Amino acid sequence: MNRIGTLMRREFRGYFATPVAYVFIVIFLFLAGIFTFYVGNFYERNQADLEPFFRYLPWLYMLLIPAISMRLWSEERKSGTIELLMTLPVSLADAVLGKFLAAWLFTALALALTFPLWLTVNYLGDPDNTVIAAGYLGSLLMAGGFLAIGSCVSALTRNQVIAFVISFVICFAFNLSGFPIVLDFFRAWAPAVIVDTISSFSFLTHATSIQKGVIDLRDIVFFTSLIGFFLYANMLAIDARKSS
Amino acid sequence: MENLIEVSDLHKRFGSLVAVDGVSMKVARGEVLGFLGPNGAGKSTTMKMITGFLAPDSGSVRISGQELGANPIAAKSRIGYLPEGAPAYGEMTPATFLDFIGDIRGLAPASKQARIREVVAKIHLEGVLHQTIETLSKGFKRRVGLAQAILHDPEILIMDEPTDGLDPNQKHEVRQLIREMSPHKAIIISTHILEEVDAVCTRAVIIAKGKLLFSGTPPELAARSAFHNAVTLSVPAAMVDAVEKSLRAMPGVAGLEQGVGSDDHLRLTVLPKSGETLFPRIRQAADDAGWPVREMFVEGGRLDEVFRSITTSTAASAGGHRS
Ligand SMILES: Nc1ncnc2c1ncn2[C@@H]1O[C@H](COP(=O)(O)OP(=O)(O)OP(=O)(O)O)[C@@H](O)[C@H]1O
Ligand SMILES: [Mg+2]
């Protein structure tokens, strides 16, 4: 536990040692604002809630989270520090978890910095703050899911650009699989089981219900098991490819 | 003696390339093993297996009597390791990096600070403590790697080319450091600098193409040299032909090499037939003939020449590297 904490702190500070953290946070907040107020028609809707913000967040994450996760393991492999890390007295699970948690904490920080949006709706109206809290929880879980995917992918390559692109594509697929257009396309010819399976893997489906304030255990289980699955795959990927 | 490192019959392939092919060795507390071999011989790969970074295809590694695979974390906490190229997190400074290593190694906060100060002083990192590692010169990066490896005062120390990139003063200091630490530790260093073997190692191991070709003390290694017990003398250039002629005729002489000298003198190295001692005979001849010999000494053996002959012999190349 101690070692996971040490690894996490090192990784977390690493984000702030380079401009990555600041660039990410600024772009994230900027785009979150644009999506909420302009694309999401925040004012025209005349409703005091953060629905537009949460609606566009999966798409924002799809683009930005791979940018955080791409360096997690590719950088270790590229610079050779993976050899240092793996010969320190830490287990592979500790290392994977420590890095993942650092990245997750970082996205949580970025998410928390959207609090002016929350202040705004509370100033303008009288929103249901439990729904908003649920929305934040759902978003955080979703961020964890995207990050686990990205972390796993970054263990497969020493090239950060490749890690970014592949993570982006996978995240895109996980988002799309709940999109009505995509589901309709499958519905036209595939049996319902397949359509339901595809839809059940969608981040949108699971996140949307949480964001509406409905905290369903199944959605939480979905995200936590998805994170568990990809982090486990992450460990296997490191073991298989650390030397090459 | 207490063997802290026991490696037996290690094998490792990368695809069709056999990188390590049946290497065995033991290192006891108090020993410094010099690990030699040409580029691509498999030194780093062997070290990666001993430190638990790579899993061998077959063979076993025992650390302090315990199978490495049985409890890798316990084994790793006993080992200090300087990987090839001294990788470190570039965005950190030596201060934050060593602090991180201390935490991961489980040093208590108070002793960690004391230990960091001690190691920083030993390795002379004071001047660069707060500069990011990626901006350090190559030699300083190597020193940060060294500091990291010895921070927890491990009983087993494995260093892949520890003096590569250091200036002569630093090389000297690092060797001194290794000597100081050696009574309490089992140490393996790989190196391409043969004088280093003489300077710090109690034993030398040579591998080529993954196969172990020699294991013995540095004097034993030197004794394999054609120059072992050779006599080198310098005489005025004008007399070289005459001296050479009478030396060649001397019993027990296997050959003669001319080297460069200085101000009108030339160096001649007389190689003995195996087991012969030439020095008294040559001194006698010089006295008798009245050669104005300026210097004359017995050679212990030339390590670079032995290294070359061991690693390029047919035995080494007949191994069939690829399969
Ligand atoms: N990850 C890898 N994948 C494929 N081949 C590898 C890998 N690591 C090492 N090799 C090969 O294994 C052989 C041994 O390499 P190794 O790094 O152990 O040599 P070395 O003795 O340390 O050489 P040097 O003196 O140049 O450091 C080389 O032919 C190398 O190309
Ligand atoms: Mg090497």
Side-chain angles (χ1 to χ4, degrees):
Chain A
M1 203 60 224
N2 238 338
R3 290 187 167 132
I4 297 179
T6 305
L7 289 167
M8 187 182 91
R9 274 194 300 280
R10 195 208 71 72
E11 191 72 35
F12 188 75
R13 288 199 190 118
Y15 285 112
F16 293 92
T18 59
V20 172
Y22 305 101
V23 169
F24 177 88
I25 287 175
V26 168
I27 290 184
F28 177 76
L29 295 178
F30 177 72
L31 290 180
I34 297 236
F35 276 126
T36 308
F37 292 108
Y38 294 98
V39 186
N41 296 327
F42 180 77
Y43 294 111
E44 288 81 351
R45 288 175 68 248
N46 245 329
Q47 287 183 34
D49 61 19
L50 285 181
E51 201 273 330
F53 168 61
F54 290 129
R55 180 150 34 96
Y56 289 103
L57 202 54
W59 306 100
L60 200 50
Y61 273 166
M62 171 188 88
L63 184 68
L64 291 182
I65 290 217
I68 299 185
S69 60
M70 66 182 185
R71 67 192 282 275
L72 280 175
W73 288 98
S74 339
E75 179 66 21
E76 296 267 353
R77 289 186 46 196
K78 182 152 197 236
S79 66
T81 45
I82 190 164
E83 190 171 348
L84 180 80
L85 182 61
M86 294 287 115
T87 51
L88 289 171
V90 293
S91 68
L92 188 51
D94 287 353
V96 168
L97 216 53
K99 278 174 166 285
F100 169 75
L101 288 176
W104 208 8
L105 186 64
F106 180 72
T107 52
L109 174 73
L111 193 58
L113 288 176
T114 61
F115 73 92
L117 293 177
W118 175 73
L119 291 180
T120 311
V121 284
N122 272 282
Y123 173 73
L124 292 175
D126 186 18
D128 184 346
N129 278 318
T130 52
V131 172
I132 294 183
Y136 272 108
L137 176 72
S139 305
L140 193 58
L141 281 173
M142 184 169 53
F146 281 137
L147 275 176
I149 294 170
S151 177
C152 178
V153 170
S154 86
L156 291 168
T157 172
R158 58 178 64 211
N159 185 317
Q160 294 197 21
V161 176
I162 294 177
F164 176 86
V165 172
I166 294 178
S167 308
F168 172 79
V169 169
I170 297 178
C171 293
F172 191 44
F174 267 96
N175 262 350
L176 269 191
S177 65
F179 224 56
I181 300 177
V182 176
L183 289 179
D184 286 345
F185 168 75
F186 281 103
R187 212 166 271 140
W189 53 272
V193 193
I194 294 191
V195 177
D196 287 349
T197 312
I198 293 173
S199 155
S200 73
F201 273 101
S202 167
F203 275 32
L204 289 182
T205 319
H206 291 279
T208 315
S209 52
I210 302 181
Q211 283 156 3
K212 290 201 173 111
V214 189
I215 300 190
D216 188 332
L217 194 61
R218 275 173 303 181
D219 297 324
I220 295 182
V221 168
F222 169 78
F223 281 115
T224 44
S225 43
L226 184 111
I227 291 171
F229 172 82
F230 275 101
L231 291 187
Y232 184 66
N234 192 347
M235 287 169 58
L236 298 184
I238 294 166
D239 230 10
R241 311 210 40 145
K242 63 187 172 188
S243 66
S244 55
Chain B
M1 267 199 296
E2 183 192 2
N3 283 318
L4 295 183
I5 306 170
E6 284 174 80
V7 169
S8 58
D9 205 23
L10 278 191
H11 286 83
K12 182 77 190 175
R13 313 163 144 253
F14 295 107
S16 67
L17 178 101
V18 182
V20 176
D21 193 3
V23 167
S24 303
M25 55 186 158
K26 288 184 175 146
V27 190
R29 195 186 292 280
E31 280 193 301
V32 180
L33 183 95
F35 202 22
L36 309 172
N39 291 131
K43 303 181 294 295
S44 299
T45 307
T46 305
M47 290 176 143
K48 285 174 200 196
M49 291 190 280
I50 298 176
T51 52
F53 178 63
L54 289 183
D57 295 340
S58 67
S60 88
V61 176
R62 294 174 78 81
I63 298 296
S64 308
Q66 290 261 342
E67 197 66 35
L68 175 66
N71 189 349
I73 306 270
K76 287 172 185 177
S77 56
R78 290 166 182 274
I79 300 177
Y81 178 37
L82 171 68
E84 186 166 43
Y89 295 106
E91 80 279 0
M92 300 180 99
T93 64
T96 57
F97 180 62
L98 292 178
D99 194 69
F100 162 71
I101 297 288
D103 285 339
I104 281 282
R105 293 280 186 191
L107 303 183
S111 60
K112 179 183 75 182
Q113 287 315 322
R115 188 63 196 154
I116 290 177
R117 267 196 301 278
E118 194 180 326
V119 167
V120 162
K122 244 183 208 160
I123 302 190
H124 304 293
L125 288 174
E126 299 92 343
V128 298
L129 261 188
H130 302 290
Q131 189 181 337
T132 54
I133 293 173
E134 64 198 350
T135 63
L136 295 181
S137 72
K138 180 176 160 191
F140 272 108
K141 274 186 194 145
R142 180 75 38 151
R143 291 196 228 173
V144 171
L146 276 169
Q148 163 276 124
I150 63 171
L151 187 67
H152 57 303
D153 197 18
E155 60 179 1
I156 295 169
L157 194 52
I158 294 174
M159 297 186 279
D160 204 345
E161 302 188 24
T163 57
D164 182 43
L166 299 187
D167 65 51
N169 300 337
Q170 272 299 314
K171 276 197 177 98
H172 176 77
E173 294 213 6
V174 166
R175 285 172 198 163
Q176 194 133 345
L177 185 69
I178 294 174
R179 269 196 300 267
E180 268 169 35
M181 295 188 297
S182 65
H184 317 289
K185 299 187 196 303
I187 302 177
I188 302 182
I189 59 170
S190 77
T191 179
H192 289 298
I193 308 167
L194 292 160
E195 59 191 86
E196 205 151 279
V197 175
D198 242 352
V200 297
C201 298
T202 57
R203 216 142 50 80
V205 160
I206 298 181
I207 67 171
K209 299 182 180 173
K211 282 196 162 63
L212 196 139
L213 300 178
F214 174 88
S215 171
T217 62
E220 280 166 6
L221 185 61
R224 290 213 175 181
S225 167
F227 290 92
H228 181 56
N229 286 339
V231 175
T232 295
L233 65 167
S234 47
V235 290
M239 291 190 63
V240 159
D241 286 344
V243 173
E244 205 177 317
K245 204 172 156 213
S246 60
L247 284 175
R248 279 194 193 281
M250 190 176 281
V253 169
L256 213 137
E257 277 192 10
Q258 231 182 68
V260 288
S262 49
D263 27 79
D264 303 342
H265 282 67
L266 280 181
R267 268 189 170 178
L268 289 174
T269 299
V270 195
L271 306 178
K273 286 186 177 141
S274 109
E276 296 277 350
T277 309
L278 293 179
F279 187 79
R281 236 171 271 165
I282 295 177
R283 195 179 56 187
Q284 191 66 49
D287 284 352
D288 291 351
W291 297 335
V293 175
R294 196 162 70 166
E295 58 168 350
M296 177 152 139
F297 56 87
V298 181
E299 300 215 17
R302 293 182 188 172
L303 290 177
D304 56 347
E305 182 253 347
V306 196
F307 179 83
R308 210 162 34 241
S309 80
I310 289 180
T311 55
T312 56
S313 69
T314 45
S317 49
H321 200 29
R322 283 188 181 270
S323 59

